[in-house]
């Protein structure tokens, strides 16, 4: 009886302010015992198939200073008992965000979020103490972890927000409370959760709704009719245009598209390390944000030219025998897939080979969208086309099909190429980058 009363007492007194004091004693936050936890506050997050509280003992043995649990059965001398570990992590993140007073720039969208985040960071970091979402920590756990990494000296944080269902962006905005926001685009991504393109637009626009309700600054693409219509009644906004739209605040000219994008902004020419016209607006918004924060043209140029894509995003890889490969295998949906193909079509190279992997999370639209891609590429001449995955295998076409990446690797292990340009694209789970070492 006394034990039960003690647990209840700890649960009552350990409010968010008390937990925050404990957090300040720590070296950071941890949620995975397979990574460094020593000196950190460890949150025992549970999943669909595991009870996170069961890792409390291991976290303690590995040196965690405090451990947050929501089941008194796992109480230790250094545990903090709460009603819900995940909710506490999220509440603590918001509490810390307010304490730091950092300006939060939130961004979401169907395609290009991470590249845009990296570009904006590269520009702003020239003149401000800037932080950003690391990797793809852009969900209900990742966003709090990003916020909890903010330091007192951090002036601006670029926080990426991902979503696959309605109301997720709205929820992330309540946690992060952004001061600025930008939506890259509305495309056919996560249709399994959003059901339609209209559902995507509505869900991503939850960022706009938060910013409007709180009278915060919105950045947007003046050339995007959907965005213009969403914001026509709102005044606190800043826009860019790549098509000389006179209504835009910032005019940017795309001067060159091959092999890398080149821009003219004011009196300055910016030569990027990015390929594909689909990346043009990602660079344009970085220029726009830089100008809003009063960075010089030269500073913006340095920031953009310093960014070199990695992690399977629009990378150009060159091999012997004049083999070139565009590796764009970080993610794929119908919008980004077509954009990558269109860019590949525009490149001047005689022998082109497509290696396309399945696009995931399309739900009932999967069969139709994969067939659309197949029908589209059949209109053009290719040296070869290889389709990989169960969804592409269901399409009606004469193109070569493989069920999985292992079959592709086996095929390419016995082939040799020269003077050939490859495009490799597919959803992250397809692991299309594994083909690279076998293309020779």
């Amino acid at each position: 009886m006394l034990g039960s009363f003690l647990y209840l007492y700890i649960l009552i007194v350990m409010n968010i302010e008390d937990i925050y004091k404990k957090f300040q004693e720590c070296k950071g936050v941890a949620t995975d015992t397979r990574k460094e936890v020593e000196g950190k506050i460890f949150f025992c997050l549970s999943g669909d198939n595991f009870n996170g509280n069961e890792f409390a003992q291991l976290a303690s043995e590995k040196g965690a200073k405090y451990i947050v649990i929501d089941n008194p059965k796992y109480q230790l001398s250094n545990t903090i008992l709460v009603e819900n570990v995940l909710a506490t992590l999220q509440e603590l993140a918001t509490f810390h965000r307010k304490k730091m007073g950092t300006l939060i720039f939130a961004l979401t969208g169907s395609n290009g979020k991470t590249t845009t985040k990296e570009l904006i960071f590269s520009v702003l970091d020239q003149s401000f103490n800037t932080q950003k979402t690391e990797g793809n920590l852009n969900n209900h756990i990742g966003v709090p972890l990003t916020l909890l990494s903010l330091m007192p000296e951090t002036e601006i944080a670029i926080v990426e927000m991902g979503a696959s269902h309605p109301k997720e962006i709205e929820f992330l905005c309540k946690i992060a409370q952004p001061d600025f926001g930008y939506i890259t685009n509305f495309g056919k991504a996560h249709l399994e959760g959003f059901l339609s393109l209209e559902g995507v637009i509505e869900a991503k626009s939850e960022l706009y709704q938060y910013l409007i309700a709180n009278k915060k600054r919105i950045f947007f693409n003046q050339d995007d009719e959907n965005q213009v219509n969403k914001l026509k009644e709102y005044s606190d906004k800043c826009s860019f245009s790549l098509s000389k739209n006179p209504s835009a605040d910032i005019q940017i000219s795309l001067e060159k598209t091959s092999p890398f994008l080149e821009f003219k902004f004011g009196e300055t020419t910016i030569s990027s390390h990015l390929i594909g016209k689909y990346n043009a607006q990602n660079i344009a918004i970085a220029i726009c944000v830089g100008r809003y924060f009063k960075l010089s043209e030269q500073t913006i140029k340095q920031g953009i030219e310093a960014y070199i894509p990695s992690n399977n995003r629009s990378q150009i890889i060159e091999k012997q025998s004049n083999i070139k490969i565009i590796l764009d295998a970080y993610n794929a949906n119908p919008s980004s897939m077509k954009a990558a193909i269109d860019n590949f079509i525009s490149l001047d190279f005689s022998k082109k080979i497509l290696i396309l992997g399945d696009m995931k999370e399309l739900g009932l639209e999967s069969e139709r969208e994969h067939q659309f891609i197949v029908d589209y590429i059949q209109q053009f001449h290719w040296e070869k086309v290889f389709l990989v995955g169960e969804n592409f295998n269901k399409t009606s076409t004469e193109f070569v099909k493989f069920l999985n990446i292992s079959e592709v690797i086996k095929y390419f292990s016995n082939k040799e190429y020269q003077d050939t340009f490859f495009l490799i694209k597919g959803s992250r789970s397809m692991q299309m980058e594994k083909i690279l070492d076998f293309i020779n």
Side-chain angles (χ1 to χ4, degrees):
M1 182 70 179
L2 178 60
S4 299
F5 175 80
L6 179 61
Y7 292 137
L8 179 60
Y9 176 74
I10 294 173
L11 185 59
I12 292 172
V13 300
M14 197 59 74
N15 58 32
I16 202 65
E17 291 188 9
D18 294 323
I19 296 172
Y20 188 68
K21 290 175 183 177
K22 301 290 187 186
F23 162 71
Q24 289 179 303
E25 298 175 23
C26 299
K27 296 179 180 179
V29 177
T31 61
D32 189 339
T33 54
R34 293 168 295 184
K35 299 178 181 179
E36 181 62 49
V37 303
E38 186 172 359
K40 297 183 178 182
I41 182 170
F42 187 90
F43 285 80
C44 293
L45 297 172
S46 297
D48 293 335
N49 301 310
F50 65 93
N51 177 3
N53 293 280
E54 294 177 353
F55 294 94
Q57 182 67 46
L58 179 58
S60 182
E61 291 171 359
K62 295 187 73 173
K65 189 172 182 65
Y66 296 108
I67 301 154
V68 183
I69 60 173
D70 50 20
N71 187 332
K73 175 183 174 182
Y74 300 90
Q75 188 92 347
L76 302 168
S77 61
N78 59 341
T79 50
I80 299 170
L81 183 62
V82 299
E83 291 185 10
N84 182 286
V85 172
L86 176 57
T88 300
L89 175 71
Q90 294 163 341
E91 187 180 356
L92 185 67
T94 302
F95 193 89
H96 181 63
R97 178 259 180 278
K98 291 178 180 178
K99 286 286 187 181
M100 292 298 98
T102 305
L103 293 175
I104 303 295
F105 189 110
L107 64 91
T108 189
S110 299
N111 305 308
K113 292 188 294 295
T114 301
T115 299
T116 300
K117 172 199 70 181
E118 296 293 338
L119 284 162
I120 294 174
F121 172 82
S122 190
V123 168
L124 293 182
D125 199 46
Q126 304 290 309
S127 299
F128 298 94
N129 189 309
T130 312
Q131 283 184 232
K132 62 179 178 177
T133 298
E134 293 300 329
N136 62 345
L137 293 175
N138 62 12
N139 62 6
H140 63 297
I141 296 172
V143 169
L145 292 176
T146 297
L147 296 174
L148 287 167
S149 72
L150 297 177
M151 304 297 288
E153 61 270 21
T154 307
E155 296 173 282
I156 303 173
I158 301 113
V159 178
E160 181 181 333
M161 295 180 175
S164 55
H165 293 86
K167 300 300 180 182
E168 288 181 348
I169 296 298
E170 178 184 295
F171 181 66
L172 294 178
C173 284
K174 290 178 181 177
I175 295 172
Q177 301 182 359
D179 303 285
F180 308 93
Y182 172 67
I183 299 175
T184 59
N185 48 49
F186 303 115
K188 295 178 179 179
H190 301 294
L191 293 181
E192 190 172 24
F194 295 132
L195 302 181
S196 66
L197 180 57
E198 291 71 24
V200 173
I201 294 172
E202 188 63 29
K204 299 298 183 182
S205 295
E206 289 165 14
L207 174 57
Y208 284 159
Q209 292 163 14
Y210 175 89
L211 295 167
I212 291 170
N214 290 276
K215 299 180 172 58
K216 302 296 184 178
R217 171 73 54 159
I218 293 175
F219 292 86
F220 72 105
N221 181 359
Q222 190 75 50
D223 301 326
D224 187 326
E225 187 177 343
N226 282 320
Q227 298 204 27
V228 172
N229 290 336
K230 287 279 182 182
L231 299 171
K232 59 185 176 183
E233 303 299 328
Y234 191 61
S235 59
D236 194 358
K237 56 191 177 184
C238 182
S239 67
F240 67 86
S241 173
L242 286 160
S243 64
K244 299 180 179 179
N245 189 320
S247 300
D249 298 293
I250 304 292
Q251 302 285 343
I252 302 161
S253 175
L254 178 58
E255 300 288 306
K256 185 180 175 183
T257 59
S258 181
F260 299 107
L261 300 180
E262 186 174 290
F263 297 81
K264 188 72 177 294
F265 169 60
E267 300 301 317
T268 304
T269 298
I270 300 175
S271 300
S272 77
H273 294 281
L274 286 165
I275 61 170
K277 289 183 71 175
Y278 53 87
N279 271 314
Q281 71 176 51
N282 301 336
I283 294 174
I285 183 59
I287 295 172
C288 184
V289 171
R291 287 306 285 161
Y292 174 80
F293 283 96
K294 304 189 184 309
L295 273 61
S296 69
E297 292 179 12
Q298 191 60 33
T299 301
I300 293 171
K301 171 184 171 73
Q302 290 171 355
I304 290 173
E305 293 184 350
Y307 173 64
I308 299 174
S310 59
N311 298 327
N312 307 326
R313 292 183 182 90
S314 299
Q315 293 175 260
I316 290 187
I317 298 163
E318 297 191 17
K319 294 194 172 189
Q320 294 179 344
S321 302
N322 197 25
I323 294 175
K324 295 184 177 181
I325 302 168
I326 296 177
L327 178 62
D328 194 2
Y330 183 78
N331 215 339
N333 58 55
S335 302
S336 67
M337 182 73 81
K338 184 176 181 298
I341 293 168
D342 286 341
N343 174 67
F344 196 49
I345 291 168
S346 71
L347 299 178
D348 186 17
F349 215 89
S350 58
K351 294 169 65 176
K352 297 180 185 178
I353 292 179
L354 288 176
I355 309 177
L356 306 180
D358 276 356
M359 303 173 288
K360 301 295 186 178
E361 297 184 63
L362 296 179
L364 296 176
E365 297 297 314
S366 182
E367 184 176 338
R368 186 174 70 86
E369 294 294 348
H370 281 84
Q371 187 64 52
F372 171 82
I373 292 297
V374 168
D375 293 342
Y376 183 68
I377 60 179
Q378 283 180 155
Q379 303 175 52
F380 306 94
H381 171 74
W382 309 98
E383 186 72 15
K384 280 279 188 179
V385 174
F386 301 101
L387 305 175
V388 189
E390 294 180 2
N391 293 312
F392 270 127
N393 262 262
K394 296 175 183 177
T395 60
S396 176
T397 180
E398 297 300 315
F399 293 141
V400 179
K401 300 176 184 177
F402 301 100
L403 268 176
N404 53 55
I405 206 70
S406 298
E407 292 184 4
V408 183
I409 289 172
K410 184 177 179 180
Y411 175 88
F412 278 98
S413 296
N414 302 314
K415 304 292 181 184
E416 290 188 3
Y417 295 89
Q418 60 182 9
D419 302 319
T420 306
F421 208 163
F422 292 81
L423 170 63
I424 301 175
K425 186 164 180 65
S427 284
R428 177 84 292 274
S429 60
M430 294 300 296
Q431 299 182 303
M432 301 295 288
E433 70 279 1
K434 288 186 174 180
I435 307 169
L436 277 180
D437 291 340
F438 300 91
I439 296 178
N440 297 294

